[in-house]
Amino acid sequence: METKIELKNQACILVCCFGLVIAVDIAALVISQQDHPECDGQGSVMNMDSFAIMAGAIGISLGLISMVLALCVWKVNDPMTDTENVRKQGGWALLTSLVFLVISIVGFVNYGDCTDECKQSPLGEVILAWCIIRIIGACCGCCQGGVAMKGQ
């Protein structure tokens, strides 16, 4: 007997775009492991390399949890009839968006207190990119989650 996995609608989008969603997280983790002496001791809230590790790890973790919840736990076959799972996914989107908003703000504060040399280094640039991408995503997630929580 052959088992077929059919990816359509939301499942297809989640699986196909997952790499794009976490690309900035992977970049933050990779660049944080390189040596950036111009950023040593930089950052008012936490060290820049520590922030990049934390942000990348949280981004990948929340992305994986979100995908498992959407595909396995709160699976939505028909959004018009399965409003309970749509609302659960909306609540999760609101929660993760809040987390990303807070972390992005911390990242902007850290980035703003660094020297120009650190800001122009790969570490400074990836932290700024992470904050911009994640705060835009969080705003979109808040809108999406709010609509899902409100219902159709």
Side-chain angles (χ1 to χ4, degrees), residues 90 93-94 96-97 101 132-148:
L94 286 172
T96 56
S97 295
L101 282 170
I132 291 170
I133 290 169
R134 285 303 189 175
I135 206 163
I136 291 170
C139 291
C140 294
C142 284
C143 293
Q144 176 190 7
V147 168

Side-chain angles (χ1 to χ4, degrees), residues 7-142:
L7 291 178
K8 60 181 182 178
N9 302 333
Q10 179 188 17
C12 181
I13 293 169
L14 285 172
V15 171
C16 294
C17 295
F18 183 70
L20 294 173
V21 171
I22 65 166
V24 71
D25 301 315
I26 294 169
L29 287 173
V30 169
I31 291 175
S32 71
Q33 300 305 309
Q34 298 171 354
D35 189 30
H36 299 283
E38 62 274 2
C39 291
D40 285 346
Q42 297 289 315
S44 60
V45 179
M46 62 190 308
N47 286 335
M48 294 291 278
D49 56 346
S50 299
F51 177 83
I53 293 168
M54 178 204 62
I58 289 174
I60 291 172
S61 300
L62 289 179
L64 286 171
I65 292 168
S66 298
M67 193 160 67
V68 168
L69 289 175
L71 295 177
C72 302
V73 179
W74 299 325
K75 188 174 182 178
V76 176
N77 292 319
D78 182 12
M80 299 309 264
T81 59
D82 195 5
T83 57
E84 182 181 343
N85 283 345
V86 169
R87 287 186 179 177
K88 288 177 183 177
Q89 287 184 7
W92 179 255
L94 286 172
L95 176 68
T96 56
S97 295
L98 179 63
V99 170
F100 285 128
L101 282 170
V102 169
I103 296 172
S104 294
I105 292 168
V106 169
F108 283 127
V109 170
N110 251 8
Y111 180 83
D113 286 342
C114 290
T115 62
D116 288 338
E117 292 81 25
C118 181
K119 288 179 182 179
Q120 294 171 357
S121 72
L123 182 60
E125 290 174 349
V126 79
I127 287 175
L128 180 62
W130 189 95
C131 292
I132 291 170
I133 290 169
R134 285 303 189 175
I135 206 163
I136 291 170
C139 291
C140 294
C142 284

